[in-house]
Amino acid sequence: MNASNQNSPGYNKFIELAQLTSGIPASDGDGVRLTRIIGSPEIDMLDPFLLLDAFESDRPDDYIGGFPEHPHRGFETVTYLLAGRMRHKDNKGHEGVIEPGGVQWMTAGRGIIHSEMPEQEDGLLRGFQLWINLPAAEKMTAPVYQEFAASVIPNERLENGGNIKVIAGRTDSGTEGPVKNDYTVPFFLDIQLEPGETFHQHIPYSHAGFLYVVMGGVRVGQTKAILNSRSLGVLGDGEKLHLSSGAEVSRVLMVAGKRLNEPVARGGPFVMNTKQEVKKAFQDYQEGQF
Ligand code: MN
């Protein structure tokens, strides 16, 4: 997993930012206000990533409606919470609450019907939902959950006081995240850097990825291009990721996954390879086969 290969074309190349976006305001579920960062007119997708939503509000009206019962087929949904609590419940009897710092990695596969509702009536709710595509051969796999509370996510300490919460993938220092995933061999790191602190990570050439700044700001690559708070930067070609923090503490998510390079047919909550398969998904859902 995530092995580095010195013969790879990008082995010695620094990764620079290829594109910046702060997303667009959107509404989904029952009126939840969010920022759509991937899956927007600016970045339609970043193979294998189909969608990235950020939600952040302390106004109950912005989130209280939640995401009532809806289906998924053909991809994975990753929910990562920074603040607040979300209750998840599906049609197979699976139920749980995601708490701050916790992650739910759901492989929807051939189909799941679930609801995702705020487990709070006031206060701050902040987090992300990421959709990761599944390879054609695995789209109809049985649904699987991987859920980890903050307390069981490895926290690698950096030399100058920062730390990395390793949710998926393996850091250059060898800390491995608990999420198992051979489909896109993903990285999902939550990196906190002290002022002026640097961070290095090797990312295989096969992967596409992005940074999203939760707090503060980071400089990226040899050009030291600045990525500000609540902005996403698409990672360009290369395998050597270098980050440094500015004058303040910074927190940034680094997410990467293996490109699938397969045709994508979208139909709302279903993401397949052909229109025919999307139509079949709607049919199966309506016929109660999920
Ligand atoms: Mn959902």
Side-chain angles (χ1 to χ4, degrees), residues 67 70-72 77 106 114 116 129 131:
F67 303 87
H70 59 276
H72 291 296
T77 69
M106 180 179 86
H114 75 166
E116 301 152 279
Q129 184 161 99
W131 290 11

Side-chain angles (χ1 to χ4, degrees), residues 56 82 126 128 190-195 212-218 227-231 245-246 248-253:
E56 176 181 8
L82 304 182
R126 187 177 186 191
F128 302 90
D190 182 348
I191 303 158
Q192 185 154 315
L193 300 175
E194 289 296 308
Y212 179 86
V213 178
V214 169
M215 182 176 85
V218 290
L227 188 63
N228 290 314
S229 183
R230 293 174 181 76
S231 295
S245 190
E248 48 188 346
V249 172
S250 294
R251 186 173 176 189
V252 57
L253 303 184

Side-chain angles (χ1 to χ4, degrees), residues 172-244:
D172 285 2
S173 308
T175 308
E176 202 152 341
V179 170
K180 302 289 170 235
N181 190 309
D182 292 334
Y183 306 131
T184 49
V185 200
F187 288 84
F188 196 118
L189 308 181
D190 182 348
I191 303 158
Q192 185 154 315
L193 300 175
E194 289 296 308
E197 189 166 27
T198 59
F199 168 74
H200 307 267
Q201 175 67 38
H202 177 270
I203 301 173
Y205 204 65
S206 53
H207 283 46
F210 61 86
L211 300 168
Y212 179 86
V213 178
V214 169
M215 182 176 85
V218 290
R219 290 169 189 273
V220 183
Q222 277 186 316
T223 60
K224 302 202 180 299
I226 295 172
L227 188 63
N228 290 314
S229 183
R230 293 174 181 76
S231 295
L232 177 139
V234 175
L235 301 181
D237 265 1
E239 299 195 4
K240 289 165 76 170
L241 180 65
H242 280 208
L243 299 182
S244 56

Side-chain angles (χ1 to χ4, degrees), residues 11-87:
Y11 187 73
N12 279 313
K13 192 173 173 191
F14 283 90
I15 295 171
E16 304 292 344
L17 293 177
Q19 191 180 352
L20 303 181
T21 181
S22 47
I24 55 162
S27 170
D28 209 338
D30 187 5
V32 178
R33 293 173 70 93
L34 46 83
T35 303
R36 183 141 295 163
I37 306 167
I38 296 174
S40 75
E42 246 178 293
I43 303 180
D44 174 47
M45 70 174 282
L46 178 66
D47 182 18
F49 305 108
L50 301 161
L51 175 142
L52 176 68
D53 283 340
F55 45 92
E56 176 181 8
S57 181
D58 55 7
R59 296 187 308 177
D61 283 355
D62 289 346
Y63 60 70
I64 206 76
F67 303 87
E69 211 164 76
H70 59 276
H72 291 296
R73 173 181 281 180
F75 57 98
E76 302 186 285
T77 69
V78 178
T79 306
Y80 185 51
L81 277 193
L82 304 182
R85 302 165 87 227
M86 295 277 285
R87 178 172 293 272

